[in-house]
Amino acid sequence: MPEYKYKCSWPKDNLYVDGYVHQVTNFRYHAHADEFELNILLQGKQHFYSGTDLIDLKEDDVILVNPNTGHASYCDPEGTIAFVLHFSSLALKQFVKKGQTLKIGGCLSDDQTRNELKYRAIRKCAASIIYYLNQGDPFSQYMAKANAELMVGTLCTMFDTEASELAGESDEETQRVIRSILEYMEAHYGEKITLEDIGEMTGYNRTYVSTLFHQSVGIRFYDYLMRLRLQNAIRELITTDHPLTEIAMNNGFADLKTFNARFREILKILPSEYRGMIEKKTVSPEYYEVQSIPCTDPMVARKLKEYMEK
């Protein structure tokens, strides 16, 4: 299956963007460590999870997801099409003090707000970015960058921003330790893992490991572990016929009751309910495969033109 993705970077400005239009299929629960994700619904209805919030999106709705926020979505009905644009969090580095990062809050449209100026402006910038990236010539790249900067400026001036503290620049040893922790968690998420175990592995005490992990990764250790377990449990839930108890045990949950409780706490439904909602025809052959659509597709081209003209 061909891949239709559009990307460009401007390293001197710490700015890069990548975007694609895709058919919303199975539930890919994930997060981006150093990127914002902008989701614009072009067609259909989309159930979107951001953090622990469940939002129902309709055509032309916009939602922005901050870095390190777990998110996922599924469609209702089949044929739901969304436009996704990622841009680098480092692009906002110049607006905060050293050792801080910026979060943008409140960018979520609904029936009352989706046609307000700020959402029209975001859709126009986002559509222009992908339109010009598709052209491929140097002048179009210039236009794509101009619209990317305008979009970031719109988000930062028309929505709430909050600076939060980060650890100082990581040295090589810290980076090595964090890489080893993440690799260990990826390999052993299905087993019992504690901060004490990580402390023994790295030679540091549990308190230091906990602080170092939160500062370096941007999320607490056990929250990251839960997200990792849930992400892999959902993949197994969608792509296999394994019993729920087996899925729970395979992915580090103590028992089915715990799996049900954590799933419902974060995703607002039970694993069995979610599995029943998924139709095989809406599931990608590979769990993380994105079914991208070219921006020259008639419906997509019409929506992009509509956004650019408003």
Side-chain angles (χ1 to χ4, degrees):
M1 180 179 295
E3 214 177 51
Y4 302 100
K5 294 190 176 180
Y6 309 91
K7 60 180 66 178
C8 202
S9 62
W10 301 275
K12 289 183 179 179
D13 300 305
N14 291 316
L15 178 63
Y16 64 85
V17 295
D18 71 79
Y20 55 88
V21 178
H22 73 118
Q23 180 175 339
V24 180
T25 54
N26 40 282
F27 194 104
R28 290 182 293 269
Y29 186 66
H30 62 289
H32 309 285
D34 57 1
E35 294 178 336
F36 290 88
E37 177 172 310
L38 185 72
N39 184 96
I40 302 174
L41 188 57
L42 303 183
Q43 174 179 286
K45 294 182 180 179
Q46 186 178 17
H47 301 297
F48 198 100
Y49 293 83
S50 180
T52 57
D53 296 326
L54 169 60
I55 305 112
D56 290 330
L57 301 179
K58 298 179 182 178
E59 187 172 323
D60 299 332
D61 271 335
V62 176
I63 183 171
L64 180 73
V65 181
N66 281 287
N68 270 317
T69 300
H71 59 283
S73 67
Y74 62 95
C75 63
D76 178 19
E78 184 185 2
T80 294
I81 306 296
F83 169 30
V84 173
L85 191 69
H86 300 123
F87 65 94
S88 50
S89 58
L90 285 177
L92 303 178
K93 188 175 181 179
Q94 60 183 306
F95 302 113
V96 294
K97 298 177 182 177
K98 186 176 181 180
Q100 291 185 327
T101 187
L102 199 66
K103 291 187 176 182
I104 301 171
C107 183
L108 170 61
S109 65
D110 56 26
D111 290 342
Q112 284 71 47
T113 63
R114 74 172 60 94
N115 290 315
E116 290 181 356
L117 173 62
K118 55 188 177 184
Y119 292 112
R120 296 201 312 272
I122 291 169
R123 288 193 294 264
K124 182 173 183 177
C125 289
S128 298
I129 291 168
I130 197 170
Y131 172 82
Y132 286 115
L133 287 181
N134 184 56
Q135 303 306 305
D137 62 89
F139 296 113
S140 293
Q141 296 250 331
Y142 189 81
M143 289 295 291
K145 181 186 179 187
N147 278 279
E149 292 175 329
L150 182 58
M151 183 183 71
V152 172
T154 299
L155 287 166
C156 291
T157 56
M158 293 192 172
F159 296 92
D160 297 329
T161 58
E162 178 185 359
S164 57
E165 299 296 326
L166 284 177
E169 296 294 328
S170 298
D171 56 29
E172 290 186 9
E173 174 60 15
T174 297
Q175 293 175 15
R176 184 195 67 77
V177 170
I178 291 299
R179 280 197 305 271
S180 68
I181 293 173
L182 294 176
E183 289 170 0
Y184 182 86
M185 295 174 76
E186 183 67 41
H188 299 280
Y189 65 84
E191 306 166 18
K192 182 180 179 181
I193 303 177
T194 67
L195 278 169
E196 285 77 9
D197 297 331
I198 301 301
E200 290 182 12
M201 183 187 77
T202 59
Y204 298 108
N205 65 55
R206 68 181 307 278
T207 301
Y208 180 79
V209 169
S210 177
T211 301
L212 183 67
F213 190 92
H214 194 184
Q215 290 178 333
S216 300
V217 181
I219 183 174
R220 292 178 298 182
F221 173 81
Y222 285 112
D223 289 340
Y224 185 91
L225 179 59
M226 180 56 60
R227 189 170 75 192
L228 189 61
R229 286 172 171 167
L230 190 61
Q231 177 177 308
N232 285 280
I234 291 171
R235 173 172 18 197
E236 190 172 349
L237 186 69
I238 290 172
T239 59
T240 75
D241 294 322
H242 295 166
L244 294 180
T245 298
E246 181 180 338
I247 292 174
M249 301 301 289
N250 287 347
N251 292 282
F253 296 94
D255 48 40
L256 179 57
K257 181 179 179 180
T258 303
F259 180 41
N260 283 338
R262 294 293 177 267
F263 201 100
R264 187 172 219 167
E265 175 188 353
I266 295 176
L267 304 175
K268 311 305 181 188
I269 55 176
L270 292 170
S272 57
E273 294 172 332
Y274 178 69
R275 177 178 257 179
M277 292 162 49
I278 296 298
E279 299 180 15
K280 295 298 182 183
K281 59 186 175 182
T282 68
V283 176
S284 297
E286 297 295 334
Y287 178 71
Y288 281 106
E289 181 181 324
V290 173
Q291 296 187 11
S292 56
I293 300 169
C295 65
T296 52
D297 173 89
M299 185 280 293
V300 175
R302 175 179 59 79
K303 293 297 290 187
L304 295 180
K305 184 173 184 289
E306 176 186 314
Y307 293 158
M308 292 174 67
E309 290 178 348
K310 285 189 176 180

